[in-house]
Amino acid sequence: MTPPPRPGIPPRVALVLGGGGLKGFAHIGVLRALRERNIRPVVVAGTSVGALIAAAYARGLTVEELERRALSLRKPDLFRIDHLGMVMRRMLSPSLYLERPLQEIVEQLAPEGTFRDLPVPLLVNTVDLERGTQVTWGLPGLQDVRVTDAVYASCALPGFFPPRVIEGRTCVDGGVMGNTPAIVAARDVDAVIAVDVGSTSLTAARRVRQKGFAAIFMRSVQLMTRSLQQMQLSAWQGPPLLLIRPPVWKYNWFSFVHARTMIDAGYATACEVLDEVRDELHGAGGVYPLRQVEVRVDRERCTGCGMCANLAPDVMRLDAAGKAVPLRDAFEWSRADGAFVTECPVQAIVAEVVDGHGQRHRTMEFTIVGE
């Protein structure tokens, strides 16, 4: 007999899977945790690798099948340099890598047909390069296109893979404007479960200037998506949102050797977050789970630049000596809060999560460390 949904999870939930390269393998672990708890989203949405896995879910592929494919994927399966294009067209070549390998992966995982043919509503976030707007395929009026075209476009990181023209729109990776498309999935649902793998805490990039243009570009993309994600969550006005952030920050976006670890990280984090849910997802809104966080400032390090007070005036201020101080000792934060901590240019701010036993733990969300 199928177990009933957990009391803390409302019946109508949207699942949103964010972009983040191969860190998106963590989404597979999240799907396993949802299945074990009989949580069945009424709509799935995604960007980039999140769109690919969301499409595979809508197609009905099992977690076991997704795991098998993730663990067998190798670099040549996805990245093959377009040598001819680079020689013949040089700077006019649309991308560094060939289109076909990515297209083949999309065709293996995404369902055939259009969005109207799907048993589970699917939303795929892309960006129209020429108009400079987001286009989320699967929304009303945007359903009569092939799912594989939309998913390919959502995965087409600019410069790495060629764009895809869909109904006259030149579309690329939706992460350019919205890496975790929770807003578009929030309509007519009780709550949103969002999985963020691409804009979690950053490690300090060392010698990035010497690693070539691709490394510089990807670092810039990571910073951009993190900033956009923070803006979206800080202004969240939708239904209750449960944010799952697997600890995959230390892995490269295109690391093929840590698939098992990232799948397991997604599963473990999802289990922890889902099992903490009580009644908060039945409320009017907000981002969850909430945790008790203590904030303090190293006064010897603090230069009094005022960056923290400008970014978070409801948390920080400058005292009479021109040093930063928190307005309170402790705050109730979600995993989307506290981004200003890592913006301190001298890393003078320390934020620690206080667990139920009064123990304090520094987490990567509030810490920058070397790779």
Side-chain angles (χ1 to χ4, degrees):
M1 179 180 295
T2 301
R6 295 181 65 251
I9 306 296
R12 294 185 56 80
V13 173
L15 175 64
V16 180
L17 305 179
L22 299 185
K23 295 182 182 183
F25 288 155
H27 293 319
I28 301 172
V30 174
L31 291 178
R32 179 181 290 279
L34 293 175
R35 185 183 68 181
E36 290 178 353
R37 289 155 180 78
N38 195 34
I39 299 171
R40 300 178 181 178
V42 297
V43 58
V44 289
T47 294
S48 195
V49 66
L52 181 62
I53 294 178
Y57 177 87
R59 181 176 176 173
L61 293 186
T62 65
V63 170
E64 290 75 19
E65 176 64 13
L66 288 173
E67 285 189 1
R68 185 187 67 78
R69 291 175 180 268
L71 294 173
S72 65
L73 189 68
R74 297 295 180 264
K75 188 173 182 179
D77 298 330
L78 180 59
F79 297 118
R80 298 178 205 164
I81 295 177
D82 184 4
H83 293 287
L84 182 60
M86 299 293 287
V87 170
M88 299 297 293
R89 304 187 67 183
R90 299 191 179 185
M91 294 301 293
L92 293 179
S93 180
S95 66
L96 177 63
Y97 297 108
L98 291 168
E99 173 184 292
R100 191 61 206 167
L102 174 58
Q103 180 66 33
E104 290 175 351
I105 291 174
V106 170
E107 290 174 353
Q108 292 168 10
L109 297 180
E112 299 178 355
T114 72
F115 286 84
R116 290 190 185 276
D117 302 325
L118 300 176
V120 178
L122 171 67
L123 303 176
V124 173
N125 193 35
T126 67
V127 167
D128 182 334
L129 270 184
E130 295 177 347
R131 294 176 175 87
T133 59
Q134 288 191 73
V135 182
T136 304
W137 303 101
L139 289 175
L142 298 170
Q143 298 171 324
D144 296 314
V145 301
R146 293 174 64 230
V147 175
T148 52
D149 282 338
V151 173
Y152 170 90
S154 189
C155 294
L157 186 65
F160 280 60
F161 295 100
R164 175 63 52 85
V165 177
I166 308 174
E167 291 194 336
R169 301 173 183 268
T170 302
C171 295
V172 297
D173 192 330
V176 171
M177 296 182 70
N179 200 46
T180 309
I183 294 175
V184 296
R187 182 178 178 181
D188 297 329
V189 298
D190 302 318
V192 175
I193 298 175
V195 187
D196 176 19
V197 297
S199 52
T200 53
S201 306
L202 297 176
T203 54
R206 308 298 186 189
R207 300 181 299 279
V208 67
R209 182 172 59 88
Q210 292 141 10
K211 297 179 181 178
F213 75 89
I216 293 172
F217 176 76
M218 285 308 304
R219 180 64 174 180
S220 301
V221 168
Q222 187 179 19
L223 295 171
M224 176 188 68
T225 56
R226 180 172 180 259
S227 178
L228 290 171
Q229 177 70 27
Q230 185 59 35
M231 289 174 59
Q232 179 191 42
L233 291 175
S234 64
W236 181 253
Q237 296 295 318
L241 184 148
L242 189 68
L243 181 60
I244 298 175
R245 277 185 166 166
V248 293
W249 52 78
K250 60 185 176 182
Y251 301 110
N252 186 282
W253 275 42
F254 300 118
S255 172
F256 289 82
V257 298
H258 297 104
R260 179 78 266 166
T261 300
M262 289 189 281
I263 293 170
D264 292 344
Y267 175 74
T269 304
C271 289
E272 177 186 354
V273 172
L274 292 169
D275 291 342
E276 288 180 357
V277 174
R278 296 296 178 263
D279 299 322
E280 52 266 41
L281 298 188
H282 294 272
V287 179
Y288 301 94
L290 297 176
R291 302 167 300 167
Q292 195 78 4
V293 177
E294 293 187 356
V295 180
R296 55 185 173 82
V297 177
D298 185 333
R299 293 182 67 84
E300 292 186 3
R301 280 178 175 259
C302 178
T303 65
C305 71
M307 179 69 75
C308 58
N310 291 334
L311 292 175
D314 56 334
V315 179
M316 305 295 294
R317 66 177 178 85
L318 297 182
D319 64 12
K323 298 288 187 177
V325 294
L327 298 181
R328 301 191 302 276
D329 292 333
F331 301 86
E332 198 172 44
W333 283 352
S334 75
R335 286 178 168 83
D337 295 316
F340 72 91
V341 172
T342 57
E343 298 291 339
C344 177
V346 293
Q347 299 180 37
I349 305 173
V350 175
E352 297 175 322
V353 176
V354 182
D355 64 23
H357 303 288
Q359 299 296 313
R360 293 161 179 79
H361 306 279
R362 295 188 67 176
T363 74
M364 278 293 300
E365 293 167 87
F366 311 123
T367 309
I368 297 179
V369 300
E371 291 180 327

